[in-house]
Amino acid sequence: MRVALHSEIREGAIDLYRERHLRIPDDLVAVFGRLGIHDWTIWRSGRRLFHLVDCDDWDAAYAALPQEPADQAWQRDIGRFVELFRDADGAEGADPLELMWDLAAQRDGGR
């Protein structure tokens, strides 16, 4: 499955956020693999970040991440630069964004 997420960088933190993402910790990469997160890309527009996550089960992975020491350490570090996550309606929250259209799904007979 693929999910999209939206977060915002704190004012003035773009360069530090970018620097931290040149290479995330290897133990966190291993946790992602164990939890079924196969790929995670992030795009930026101003202070807005858009994440695309390819995973087996986002809800299960997202629920398990806070118990992982590697993610706890990462959140302590990267959390200094992230202001908040927003849901599909723009409210604060980490629920995935609403999928509006998918070319591949349309070609394959879906919506």
Side-chain angles (χ1 to χ4, degrees):
M1 75 183 304
R2 285 182 311 172
V3 298
L5 307 169
H6 172 210
S7 62
E8 295 180 13
I9 300 175
R10 293 185 192 281
E11 188 71 41
I14 292 169
D15 290 337
L16 291 169
Y17 185 91
R18 183 184 294 114
E19 177 184 306
R20 292 298 193 283
H21 281 85
L22 291 174
R23 182 174 177 92
I24 70 167
D26 290 334
D27 58 345
L28 184 59
V29 172
V31 165
F32 285 169
R34 194 165 31 77
L35 296 180
I37 297 173
H38 308 292
D39 196 16
W40 191 318
T41 55
I42 305 171
W43 289 269
R44 182 180 72 84
S45 176
R47 290 181 42 226
R48 296 175 181 162
L49 300 174
F50 297 93
H51 310 245
L52 183 61
V53 183
D54 178 18
C55 58
D56 295 334
D57 181 337
W58 171 251
D59 291 334
Y62 186 70
L65 276 170
Q67 281 67 252
E68 296 289 340
D71 188 62
Q72 292 167 5
W74 177 248
Q75 294 307 321
R76 279 191 304 273
D77 181 38
I78 205 66
R80 298 176 296 148
F81 311 116
V82 177
E83 187 167 325
L84 53 81
F85 272 80
R86 294 194 180 276
D87 65 15
D89 294 321
E92 188 171 345
D95 290 338
L97 300 177
E98 177 185 1
L99 174 63
M100 299 299 292
W101 179 72
D102 184 325
L103 175 61
Q106 179 174 325
R107 270 195 304 246
D108 297 339
R111 62 176 183 170

